[in-house]
Amino acid sequence: IDKLLSKSLYFTQTISSSDSTGNSIGSIFSGLYPCKSKINFYNFDSTVPLFTNILKNNGYSLLSVVPDLSFFTKLILNFDKNLSYVYDKRDSWIQLQGGIGEQIVQHIKSTDNCNPWFMFIHLMDLHGPFFIPSEFANADYGINRYAQMLSYIDVWIGKILSQINFDNTLVIITSDHGEY
Protein backbone atom coordinates (compact mmCIF):
# COMPACT_ATOMS: atom_id res chain seq x y z
CA ILE A 1 0.00 0.00 0.00
CA ASP A 2 2.89 2.38 0.77
CA LYS A 3 4.26 1.87 -2.75
CA LEU A 4 0.84 2.62 -4.23
CA LEU A 5 0.46 5.71 -2.02
CA SER A 6 3.82 7.09 -3.18
CA LYS A 7 2.30 7.56 -6.65
CA SER A 8 -1.29 8.25 -5.73
CA LEU A 9 -3.85 10.63 -4.43
CA TYR A 10 -4.99 9.62 -0.97
CA PHE A 11 -7.04 10.99 1.86
CA THR A 12 -5.90 10.88 5.49
CA GLN A 13 -9.07 12.21 7.10
CA THR A 14 -12.11 10.33 5.94
CA ILE A 15 -15.33 9.45 7.67
CA SER A 16 -17.42 6.38 6.98
CA SER A 17 -21.10 6.96 6.37
CA SER A 18 -21.97 4.13 8.76
CA ASP A 19 -20.46 1.56 11.09
CA SER A 20 -21.92 -1.39 9.19
CA THR A 21 -21.02 -2.95 5.86
CA GLY A 22 -24.45 -2.90 4.19
CA ASN A 23 -25.10 0.76 4.93
CA SER A 24 -21.58 1.85 4.03
CA ILE A 25 -21.39 -0.04 0.74
CA GLY A 26 -24.90 1.13 -0.11
CA SER A 27 -23.60 4.68 0.27
CA ILE A 28 -20.43 4.02 -1.73
CA PHE A 29 -22.32 2.42 -4.62
CA SER A 30 -25.22 4.91 -4.67
CA GLY A 31 -23.55 8.14 -3.57
CA LEU A 32 -26.34 8.61 -1.04
CA TYR A 33 -26.40 8.70 2.73
CA PRO A 34 -27.58 5.41 4.29
CA CYS A 35 -30.92 6.94 5.28
CA LYS A 36 -31.55 7.85 1.61
CA SER A 37 -30.08 4.86 -0.26
CA LYS A 38 -32.50 2.26 1.14
CA ILE A 39 -29.64 -0.22 0.84
CA ASN A 40 -28.43 -2.20 3.83
CA PHE A 41 -27.99 -5.82 4.87
CA TYR A 42 -31.72 -6.25 5.44
CA ASN A 43 -33.22 -4.21 2.60
CA PHE A 44 -32.03 -3.73 -0.93
CA ASP A 45 -33.94 -1.30 -3.09
CA SER A 46 -33.01 -2.34 -6.63
CA THR A 47 -34.53 0.86 -8.04
CA VAL A 48 -31.78 2.99 -6.48
CA PRO A 49 -29.26 3.91 -9.21
CA LEU A 50 -25.76 2.59 -8.57
CA PHE A 51 -22.56 3.80 -10.19
CA THR A 52 -22.03 0.27 -11.51
CA ASN A 53 -25.21 0.66 -13.59
CA ILE A 54 -23.65 3.72 -15.22
CA LEU A 55 -20.46 1.77 -15.95
CA LYS A 56 -22.47 -1.16 -17.38
CA ASN A 57 -24.49 1.18 -19.60
CA ASN A 58 -21.21 2.61 -20.92
CA GLY A 59 -19.76 -0.72 -22.02
CA TYR A 60 -17.79 -1.76 -18.95
CA SER A 61 -17.47 -5.41 -18.02
CA LEU A 62 -18.28 -5.79 -14.32
CA LEU A 63 -16.48 -8.39 -12.25
CA SER A 64 -16.56 -9.13 -8.53
CA VAL A 65 -15.05 -11.19 -5.74
CA VAL A 66 -17.40 -11.06 -2.76
CA PRO A 67 -18.65 -13.13 0.15
CA ASP A 68 -21.69 -15.30 -0.58
CA LEU A 69 -23.99 -13.22 1.62
CA SER A 70 -27.40 -12.24 0.26
CA PHE A 71 -26.53 -8.53 0.37
CA PHE A 72 -23.56 -8.98 -1.98
CA THR A 73 -25.53 -11.30 -4.26
CA LYS A 74 -28.05 -8.50 -4.79
CA LEU A 75 -25.35 -5.83 -5.17
CA ILE A 76 -23.62 -7.70 -8.02
CA LEU A 77 -26.78 -8.93 -9.75
CA ASN A 78 -25.98 -7.16 -13.04
CA PHE A 79 -22.26 -7.99 -13.00
CA ASP A 80 -20.85 -10.12 -15.81
CA LYS A 81 -18.49 -12.41 -13.93
CA ASN A 82 -18.55 -13.10 -10.21
CA LEU A 83 -16.54 -15.11 -7.75
CA SER A 84 -18.24 -15.71 -4.43
CA TYR A 85 -16.62 -17.29 -1.42
CA VAL A 86 -18.27 -18.94 1.57
CA TYR A 87 -18.29 -16.61 4.56
CA ASP A 88 -20.81 -17.94 7.06
CA LYS A 89 -18.87 -21.10 7.93
CA ARG A 90 -15.97 -19.31 9.59
CA ASP A 91 -14.19 -22.52 10.56
CA SER A 92 -13.78 -23.51 6.89
CA TRP A 93 -13.73 -19.98 5.46
CA ILE A 94 -11.24 -19.49 2.64
CA GLN A 95 -9.30 -16.26 3.08
CA LEU A 96 -6.62 -14.69 0.89
CA GLN A 97 -4.03 -17.25 1.95
CA GLY A 98 -6.51 -20.12 1.63
CA GLY A 99 -7.21 -19.59 -2.05
CA ILE A 100 -9.19 -16.37 -2.50
CA GLY A 101 -6.01 -14.37 -3.19
CA GLU A 102 -4.96 -16.64 -6.04
CA GLN A 103 -8.52 -16.65 -7.41
CA ILE A 104 -8.47 -12.83 -7.44
CA VAL A 105 -5.18 -12.87 -9.37
CA GLN A 106 -6.67 -15.30 -11.91
CA HIS A 107 -9.86 -13.21 -12.09
CA ILE A 108 -7.78 -10.14 -12.99
CA LYS A 109 -5.87 -12.12 -15.61
CA SER A 110 -9.24 -13.03 -17.15
CA THR A 111 -9.85 -9.34 -17.95
CA ASP A 112 -7.47 -9.48 -20.93
CA ASN A 113 -10.42 -9.55 -23.34
CA CYS A 114 -12.51 -7.10 -21.28
CA ASN A 115 -11.99 -3.49 -22.12
CA PRO A 116 -12.92 -1.44 -20.18
CA TRP A 117 -13.62 -3.31 -16.94
CA PHE A 118 -14.46 -2.71 -13.31
CA MET A 119 -13.76 -5.18 -10.53
CA PHE A 120 -15.18 -4.97 -7.02
CA ILE A 121 -13.30 -7.00 -4.42
CA HIS A 122 -14.64 -7.19 -0.89
CA LEU A 123 -12.26 -8.88 1.51
CA MET A 124 -13.41 -10.14 4.89
CA ASP A 125 -9.97 -11.18 6.19
CA LEU A 126 -9.80 -8.30 8.66
CA HIS A 127 -13.01 -9.39 10.39
CA GLY A 128 -12.39 -11.35 13.57
CA PRO A 129 -11.62 -13.98 14.47
CA PHE A 130 -8.30 -13.51 12.73
CA PHE A 131 -6.72 -16.46 10.99
CA ILE A 132 -3.20 -15.10 10.69
CA PRO A 133 -0.74 -17.22 8.71
CA SER A 134 2.07 -18.35 11.01
CA GLU A 135 4.74 -16.34 9.16
CA PHE A 136 2.88 -13.11 10.05
CA ALA A 137 2.13 -13.99 13.67
CA ASN A 138 5.11 -12.21 15.21
CA ALA A 139 6.17 -8.70 16.24
CA ASP A 140 7.99 -8.08 12.93
CA TYR A 141 4.56 -7.66 11.32
CA GLY A 142 2.84 -5.64 14.00
CA ILE A 143 2.41 -5.06 17.71
CA ASN A 144 -0.93 -6.91 17.87
CA ARG A 145 -3.03 -9.39 15.89
CA TYR A 146 -4.90 -6.62 14.05
CA ALA A 147 -1.65 -5.04 12.81
CA GLN A 148 -0.29 -8.46 11.85
CA MET A 149 -3.44 -9.12 9.85
CA LEU A 150 -3.00 -5.79 8.05
CA SER A 151 0.57 -6.79 7.15
CA TYR A 152 -0.69 -10.09 5.74
CA ILE A 153 -3.38 -8.31 3.69
CA ASP A 154 -0.82 -5.75 2.49
CA VAL A 155 1.35 -8.53 1.01
CA TRP A 156 -1.66 -9.88 -0.89
CA ILE A 157 -2.63 -6.42 -2.13
CA GLY A 158 0.90 -6.20 -3.55
CA LYS A 159 0.44 -9.54 -5.35
CA ILE A 160 -2.92 -8.41 -6.72
CA LEU A 161 -1.65 -5.00 -7.84
CA SER A 162 1.31 -6.61 -9.62
CA GLN A 163 -1.23 -7.98 -12.14
CA ILE A 164 -2.56 -4.55 -13.08
CA ASN A 165 -1.42 -2.28 -15.90
CA PHE A 166 -1.36 1.13 -14.22
CA ASP A 167 -1.09 2.94 -17.56
CA ASN A 168 -4.79 2.40 -18.16
CA THR A 169 -6.19 1.40 -14.78
CA LEU A 170 -7.62 3.32 -11.86
CA VAL A 171 -7.29 1.54 -8.51
CA ILE A 172 -9.38 2.53 -5.51
CA ILE A 173 -8.72 0.99 -2.11
CA THR A 174 -11.23 1.83 0.55
CA SER A 175 -12.71 0.46 3.72
CA ASP A 176 -16.44 0.31 4.16
CA HIS A 177 -16.09 1.06 7.89
CA GLY A 178 -13.71 0.57 10.78
CA GLU A 179 -13.99 -1.55 13.88
CA TYR A 180 -16.35 -0.36 16.59
Side-chain angles (χ1 to χ4, degrees), residues 149-162:
M149 197 65 176
L150 281 173
S151 293
Y152 151 75
I153 292 169
D154 185 64
V155 168
W156 268 104
I157 288 174
K159 290 177 185 180
I160 292 166
L161 293 177
S162 72

Side-chain angles (χ1 to χ4, degrees), residues 48-142:
V48 173
L50 306 178
F51 81 86
T52 52
N53 297 347
I54 296 168
L55 293 176
K56 181 84 169 178
N57 292 336
N58 283 281
Y60 278 73
S61 294
L62 304 179
L63 304 97
S64 75
V65 180
V66 297
D68 63 350
L69 303 172
S70 171
F71 169 79
F72 288 101
T73 303
K74 292 172 185 170
L75 184 71
I76 61 169
L77 194 58
N78 73 336
F79 280 42
D80 302 300
K81 190 173 178 186
N82 302 300
L83 268 173
S84 294
Y85 56 91
V86 176
Y87 176 69
D88 284 335
K89 296 180 181 176
R90 298 298 293 263
D91 54 338
S92 62
W93 175 34
I94 299 175
Q95 293 182 298
L96 285 166
Q97 190 75 15
I100 293 297
E102 191 53 43
Q103 289 179 12
I104 291 169
V105 167
Q106 293 307 315
H107 210 37
I108 291 171
K109 288 180 179 180
S110 78
T111 64
D112 289 343
N113 297 324
C114 303
N115 197 11
W117 56 276
F118 168 81
M119 184 181 294
F120 173 59
I121 301 170
H122 188 84
L123 301 175
M124 300 294 277
D125 292 58
L126 201 51
H127 287 77
F130 300 136
F131 299 104
I132 302 172
S134 58
E135 63 267 27
F136 290 91
N138 66 63
D140 291 341
Y141 293 101

